[in-house]
Amino acid sequence: MVIVKPTLKVKMLDQNNAPMSPGRLNSLYVADLHYEPLRRKNEIDSDGIITIETMNKPVALHARVAVPNFGDVWVIADNCGEGYKPSDHVIDFVREAALSHYKKAEDIIKTDVFSVECMTHFDAAKYFLDSANGEKSGLYNLKALAHALWAGEYAVVERARKKILNSEPRKGYLFGCGVFGRRDSTPDDKLFPETFNFGTLPFYLAMVEPVPGDLRFYNYIDKLLDWCEKHNVVPKGHPLWWGSRHGRPDWLIGCSWDEIQYHCRRTIERNMKRYAGRIRIWDAINEAHDWNNGLYLTHEQEVEITRVCCNTMREIDPESTGVVNICFPFAEYVADGKVSPTTPGPVYDDMFSPLGYFDALMEANVEFDAIGLQLYFPCRDMLSVKLIIQEFERFGKPIHITELGVRTSREGINEVYENCFHGNQVDRSEGEWHFEWCEKVQADWIDWFYTICYARESVKAITWWSFNDPGFIPYGGVTTQDLIPKESLFRIRQLRKNLFRA
């Protein structure tokens, strides 16, 4: 018996009404209306029409588009929130994305008064949507999409600013950065604590215990912790457990499931007992949702190792905060059927997305304190970023933005999208937002992102990952390699002082 899978037909047209490049066409994937992707299975005919497998329920379509005068980003077509059901009708993706993003902006704009800039883009989006026909339809649909994206961003940021100004300052809010990027006896000693009040310390097992019993790395952590305490910077330990090749020592490879649990418990006990009362916030486990499953755990074991981490933390220090940290919150890698290229691991037929992982934790009654979201340049507009954060709020836990970074230079960005498929954004720094990456664009992105996060009661902390260049994201520091402060450093200070009053 042949099972016929439900499908959708989609076209993605450029400004000349021609099919977009193969890389763009192949980026298209299906997700449910709660951002849960389906493994991409599609065919592209000679006319550029994509036939893509879908679900037997309403879905959204996501694709990476070079949007003129906005950026190179993922955009969403969701039939204005209603989703698409299986059909032979050909969906015009760009037009549908423009309509969908316009509707999201409209839902905000109709609630309040917004700036001239916001309303200009909103009006322009409507004009181009109404005027898109004939030989100009491809161009006008792309223009409508660009203006709809701008309108949505202005609307969500302006509403967040208004909410912040009409609320009391949030005492104890944590503005963080990685402490292990700063340098002793340099301007960092002053610049860091003047900008950030929260510092991440490295507890990668590959460094802490590269060979069994060799714990010399603690001396380095001790120095960083002493510096944090001297400068009133709240310390955080990251991470207590991580299955990635970058985080685990070679001696852990090949261990049995019982041995993995044993080493996990003893590592957490040792770290927390050594720093009892000095470090009270920890990333309990990092990326245990298939992306970095270097220990080849099953989904059930990934859930259980998370339980081991959180329960061990509570046993040692019941007052500590255990953050379960994830990456790629939109889960494009699930659609790709790929995991981290630097950490060989299993690719399951039904992969754990971050949201699916948290669903499993909640169903298994794993007790943890906070959700950690990594949001290295997600190649999404700010309204979509706000909506994905809102999606994670359904678990009822505080949210920490644990790792974050965007560039100040285009140097080294891979241009593969025009010619081939590269959907999982492995280097986390491709694409563009508004304009070519530079100091001002980085500072503007920080300004809008921090404002959106600070306005959400669920978000308790934001941690920029790299203080100095070179960073984890190339050119992602808030100072150069020569320790010259960038505009972004001063923008964070001004946000804290004037808007956040923190």
Side-chain angles (χ1 to χ4, degrees):
M1 178 179 178
V2 177
I3 299 176
V4 179
K5 299 290 187 180
T7 60
L8 289 167
K9 293 185 180 297
V10 185
K11 61 181 178 181
M12 295 174 59
L13 303 179
D14 64 17
Q15 61 185 7
N16 298 313
N17 288 327
M20 293 185 182
S21 68
R24 304 287 175 180
L25 300 181
N26 275 306
S27 73
L28 184 78
Y29 73 87
V30 165
D32 70 14
L33 298 182
H34 296 280
Y35 301 96
E36 191 69 53
L38 180 68
R39 182 75 63 85
R40 182 190 294 102
K41 295 179 181 177
N42 62 11
E43 295 180 358
I44 303 173
D45 69 18
S46 58
D47 294 325
I49 302 298
I50 307 160
T51 300
I52 188 166
E53 187 176 315
T54 186
M55 309 176 193
N56 283 310
K57 61 180 178 179
V59 299
L61 297 166
H62 298 239
R64 184 77 173 270
V65 178
V67 184
N69 302 312
F70 184 83
D72 186 346
V73 293
W74 291 94
V75 295
I76 303 171
D78 65 3
N79 194 22
C80 297
E82 298 298 318
Y84 302 99
K85 296 179 180 179
S87 171
D88 287 332
H89 170 73
V90 178
I91 297 169
D92 184 336
F93 177 80
V94 174
R95 179 166 183 81
E96 288 292 308
L99 288 165
S100 297
H101 284 278
Y102 179 83
K103 177 63 165 59
K104 290 181 176 66
E106 183 181 42
D107 288 344
I108 301 173
I109 286 170
K110 67 185 180 183
T111 66
D112 209 337
V113 177
F114 292 87
S115 71
V116 169
E117 291 90 343
C118 179
M119 298 309 299
T120 295
H121 287 295
F122 187 66
D123 186 40
K126 182 68 163 59
Y127 171 84
F128 285 113
L129 282 168
D130 290 344
S131 305
N133 55 66
E135 64 181 18
K136 289 186 177 181
S137 61
L139 173 62
Y140 276 28
N141 283 329
L142 279 166
K143 282 185 170 290
L145 177 57
H147 286 294
L149 289 166
W150 276 107
E153 288 201 327
Y154 272 111
V156 72
V157 172
E158 289 176 17
R159 186 165 69 174
R161 284 177 179 155
K162 184 173 290 188
K163 178 179 178 181
I164 292 166
L165 289 171
N166 291 331
S167 303
E168 291 295 319
R170 299 179 62 182
K171 295 182 179 179
Y173 200 92
L174 299 170
F175 297 91
C177 193
V179 179
F180 44 102
R182 54 159 299 280
R183 307 176 205 173
D184 290 324
S185 301
T186 69
D188 286 5
D189 279 337
K190 184 176 181 181
L191 289 172
F192 191 106
E194 287 180 349
T195 310
F196 301 106
N197 62 6
F198 187 40
T200 300
L201 280 62
F203 278 83
Y204 306 103
L205 186 57
M207 298 178 180
V208 172
E209 194 175 7
V211 297
D214 183 355
L215 303 175
R216 286 175 290 177
F217 193 72
Y218 276 137
N219 296 329
Y220 175 64
I221 297 175
D222 290 343
K223 291 179 181 178
L224 292 179
L225 183 54
D226 288 343
W227 184 89
C228 286
E229 292 173 339
K230 178 181 178 182
H231 292 88
N232 297 315
V233 172
V234 176
K236 181 183 82 166
H238 167 86
L240 286 172
W241 193 255
W242 189 26
S244 168
R245 179 178 66 84
H246 302 289
R248 52 145 170 77
D250 290 342
W251 56 260
L252 198 58
I253 300 172
C255 285
S256 68
W257 171 231
D258 287 342
E259 290 170 330
I260 289 170
Q261 294 177 85
Y262 164 75
H263 288 302
C264 180
R265 288 192 189 94
R266 76 171 183 86
T267 298
I268 294 173
E269 288 176 356
R270 182 184 65 219
N271 288 340
M272 295 196 68
K273 287 179 179 178
R274 181 181 177 94
Y275 296 104
R278 298 181 72 190
I279 301 177
R280 307 305 293 271
I281 302 175
W282 299 85
D283 286 334
I285 191 167
N286 194 40
E287 301 175 355
H289 51 88
D290 287 352
W291 177 251
N292 265 311
N293 187 7
L295 296 174
Y296 283 75
L297 304 183
T298 66
H299 285 171
E300 290 78 11
Q301 289 170 339
E302 287 178 309
V303 169
E304 286 308 307
I305 202 68
T306 305
R307 190 194 309 275
V308 170
C309 292
C310 296
N311 286 356
T312 305
M313 279 191 63
R314 289 178 184 273
E315 290 168 8
I316 304 301
D317 184 0
E319 301 302 317
S320 63
T321 296
V323 181
V324 175
N325 196 33
I326 62 91
C327 62
F328 295 113
F330 289 94
E332 296 92 348
Y333 70 90
V334 172
D336 299 337
K338 295 182 179 179
V339 296
S340 171
T342 61
T343 298
V347 179
Y348 297 115
D349 290 336
D350 184 16
M351 295 181 72
F352 252 167
S353 70
L355 286 165
Y357 168 62
F358 279 114
D359 280 331
L361 296 183
M362 300 299 286
E363 184 177 353
N365 296 314
V366 175
E367 295 185 11
F368 61 99
D369 300 304
I371 290 171
L373 300 183
Q374 299 177 32
L375 273 161
Y376 296 103
F377 181 49
C379 294
R380 303 274 179 166
D381 64 284
M382 288 291 172
L383 178 49
S384 294
V385 168
K386 175 259 183 184
L387 291 173
I388 196 66
I389 294 172
Q390 187 173 307
E391 194 67 38
F392 280 90
E393 290 175 344
R394 75 183 192 218
F395 300 107
K397 301 284 186 179
I399 292 174
H400 289 209
I401 307 300
T402 51
E403 301 181 35
L404 187 64
V406 299
R407 293 168 161 264
T408 54
S409 171
R410 287 195 80 255
E411 185 176 337
I413 288 181
N414 197 342
E415 298 288 357
V416 298
Y417 249 93
E418 295 307 323
N419 301 307
C420 64
F421 173 57
H422 182 68
N424 60 11
Q425 308 172 79
V426 168
D427 76 0
R428 308 189 188 197
S429 58
E430 293 175 353
E432 290 185 347
W433 179 74
H434 296 180
F435 307 104
E436 186 172 309
W437 289 113
C438 62
E439 283 200 23
K440 184 180 187 322
V441 174
Q442 183 197 50
D444 288 347
W445 193 95
I446 286 172
D447 190 334
W448 287 18
F449 180 84
Y450 276 51
T451 297
I452 290 169
C453 289
Y454 191 82
R456 301 204 68 77
E457 290 298 322
S458 65
V459 181
K460 309 297 184 182
I462 307 175
T463 292
W464 192 260
W465 193 247
S466 301
F467 191 72
N468 303 117
D469 286 341
F472 177 66
I473 291 295
Y475 305 98
V478 292
T479 73
T480 68
Q481 196 165 357
D482 297 327
L483 307 183
I484 300 171
K486 299 181 185 179
E487 182 178 344
S488 53
L489 182 142
F490 299 104
R491 192 74 68 92
I492 293 170
R493 289 188 184 187
Q494 287 302 309
L495 284 170
R496 292 186 61 189
K497 178 180 179 181
N498 293 319
L499 180 59
F500 304 156
R501 295 159 288 166

